[in-house]
Amino acid sequence: QVQLVESGGGLVQPGGSLRLSCLASGFTFNYYTMNWYRQAPGKERELVAVITGVSGSTNYADSVKGRFTISRDNGKNTVYLQMNSLKPEDTAVYYCNAVRFANYWGKGTLVTVSS
């Protein structure tokens, strides 16, 4: 019943932009902290961005600060990741994650940044 479905991944040139979306269902979305993680080939999964459910406060990995923006639309049960000024190093599978008393994960969406 619980689902997190990412979309918006694809191929983009360096310097370009993409917006990822994660549609949630099966839980009380408003109360959950929502995260975006990514995993590049040969690397560990890393936390990219966080937005809390109570205050809506955000945090970002240093590597994406100033370029990425996380936001949420509670009416649509959706969290977004706006990615600007993309670099080849941003290439990864991006995962949506929800946390409260349990952790839920999406299956990921691939972002490839190359010329």
Side-chain angles (χ1 to χ4, degrees), residues 1-9 19-30 32-36 51 70-81 94-98 104-109:
Q1 186 177 345
V2 171
Q3 279 193 301
L4 297 173
V5 181
E6 301 98 334
S7 61
R19 188 181 73 161
L20 305 183
S21 299
C22 173
L23 177 62
S25 60
F27 63 96
T28 307
F29 178 81
N30 301 11
Y32 277 71
T33 291
M34 301 298 299
N35 309 301
W36 285 99
I51 184 164
I70 188 171
S71 61
R72 66 195 295 161
D73 185 336
N74 289 335
K76 295 183 178 180
N77 284 6
T78 301
V79 63
Y80 304 95
L81 185 67
Y94 284 73
Y95 297 91
C96 181
N97 168 242
Y104 304 121
W105 292 89
K107 295 185 184 297
T109 185

Side-chain angles (χ1 to χ4, degrees), residues 27-79:
F27 63 96
T28 307
F29 178 81
N30 301 11
Y31 298 142
Y32 277 71
T33 291
M34 301 298 299
N35 309 301
W36 285 99
Y37 284 79
R38 69 185 182 188
Q39 188 164 25
K43 300 266 191 172
E44 292 186 352
R45 189 173 296 186
E46 65 171 341
L47 181 62
V48 175
V50 178
I51 184 164
T52 66
V54 176
S55 66
S57 61
T58 60
N59 279 295
Y60 302 92
D62 288 340
S63 59
V64 308
K65 200 169 295 180
R67 300 188 298 119
F68 290 13
T69 303
I70 188 171
S71 61
R72 66 195 295 161
D73 185 336
N74 289 335
K76 295 183 178 180
N77 284 6
T78 301
V79 63

Side-chain angles (χ1 to χ4, degrees), residues 10-16 18 86-91 111-115:
L11 176 65
V12 65
Q13 292 183 288
L18 282 175
L86 283 161
K87 305 173 181 179
E89 308 93 90
D90 296 319
T91 295
V111 173
T112 303
V113 185
S114 67
S115 300

